[in-house]
């Protein structure tokens, strides 16, 4: 960071659950965490590159990328993000941490883009992107411990995906936990214990019923959603049991039903969580408590 001003913030880049996008609607999952001078991207759903630049991030600063699981709404734009950062001048190493299969995704992405990559190396004198990026596949437990930054992972309950991991980031006494995609999973409370922020996925029951009613394969969809995701009340329960300082509801399902607004989400969560609450929307900034800077531009 420059000029002594250290801003530590969380930006919800894409706030909807699921891969489909619609005119005027929100975008799939990705978040930016600026902590300890690191630029960290958590999940790479469609739109992550555009959203990072909208948040004022130089793509050349890309540093650490985490993928919670390989559902497309979390990984579809991983390759395009890194490739675009490379064409924007990325010349420093990027490490991608993801579940087993992430390395395969990256190798095949580079294969599909081989023509362009090879030609830019020769024609524009760029470093080989394949040498700039390293992929570390992780499981449960410690993922990163470097320069005061600690990242740990917890396998959560997201059938039929088995390699889906909640993540907890800690630096200088500040901690942010992400639930990833999960059904109600009580061990998350211990994992997120006393975190400054818990970003938890959430569904709204009445909204899901309407979503199911207007979708062709309604019964199957309903079954999947209730088996693999958490209701807003359940996210609130985890936050209460964990004693976090702020709950951020994210990966919202439904996210683009005009009949549902923040008040509906708040009403559901208030059954189980009386504390500080943020309902995510694309581009929303949450300043981290304990941030070294005196203030940021906006507090959510
Ligand atoms: Zn998802
Ligand atoms: Zn998922």
């Amino acid at each position: 960071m420059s000029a002594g001003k250290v801003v530590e913030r969380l930006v919800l880049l894409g706030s909807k659950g699921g891969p489909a996008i619609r005119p005027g609607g929100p975008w799939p999952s990705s978040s930016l965490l600026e902590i300890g001078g690191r630029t960290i991207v958590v999940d790479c759903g469609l739109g992550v590159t555009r959203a990072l630049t909208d948040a004022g991030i130089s793509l050349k600063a890309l540093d650490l990328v985490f993928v919670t699981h390989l559902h497309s709404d979390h990984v579809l734009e991983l390759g395009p993000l890194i490739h675009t950062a490379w064409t924007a001048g990325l010349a420093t190493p990027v490490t991608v941490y993801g579940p087993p299969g992430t390395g395969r995704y990256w190798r095949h992405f580079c294969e599909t883009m081989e023509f362009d990559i090879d030609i830019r190396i020769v024609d524009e004198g760029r470093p080989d992107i394949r040498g700039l990026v390293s992929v570390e596949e992780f499981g449960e437990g410690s993922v990163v411990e470097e320069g005061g930054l600690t990242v740990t992972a917890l396998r959560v309950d997201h059938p039929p995906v088995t390699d889906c991991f909640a993540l907890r980031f800690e630096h200088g006494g500040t901690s942010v936990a992400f639930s990833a995609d999960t059904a109600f999973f009580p061990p998350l409370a211990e994992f997120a214990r006393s975190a400054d922020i818990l970003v938890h996925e959430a569904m709204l029951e009445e909204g899901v019923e309407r979503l199911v009613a207007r979708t062709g394969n309604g019964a199957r969809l309903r079954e999947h959603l209730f088996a693999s995701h958490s209701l807003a009340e359940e996210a609130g329960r985890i936050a209460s049991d964990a004693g976090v300082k702020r709950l951020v509801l994210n990966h919202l399902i439904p996210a683009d039903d005009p009949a549902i607004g923040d008040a509906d989400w708040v009403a559901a969560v208030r059954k189980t969580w009386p504390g500080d609450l943020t309902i995510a929307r694309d581009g929303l900034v949450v300043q981290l408590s304990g941030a070294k800077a005196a203030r940021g531009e906006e507090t959510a």
Side-chain angles (χ1 to χ4, degrees), residues 73-74 181 251:
D73 54 323
H74 300 256
D181 284 12
H251 195 277

Side-chain angles (χ1 to χ4, degrees), residues 158-171:
H158 188 47
V161 178
T162 52
D163 288 325
C164 181
F165 297 95
L167 294 168
R168 180 179 176 125
F169 296 82
E170 300 193 53
H171 184 278

Side-chain angles (χ1 to χ4, degrees), residues 16-19 29 69 71-74 158 180-181 201 229 251 253:
K16 83 177 292 285
S29 273
H69 65 302
H71 264 149
S72 60
D73 54 323
H74 300 256
H158 188 47
D181 284 12
E201 70 125 275
H229 295 280
H251 195 277
I253 300 175

Side-chain angles (χ1 to χ4, degrees), residues 20-38:
I21 56 170
R22 298 181 182 86
W27 287 68
S29 273
S30 60
S31 301
L32 165 68
L33 185 60
E34 289 181 288
I35 188 171
R38 310 300 295 264

Side-chain angles (χ1 to χ4, degrees), residues 209-224:
E209 297 300 353
R210 266 207 305 284
L211 182 71
V212 163
R214 63 172 194 263
T215 306
N217 60 342
R220 283 291 296 277
L221 177 64
R222 187 180 192 288
E223 202 179 312
H224 163 78

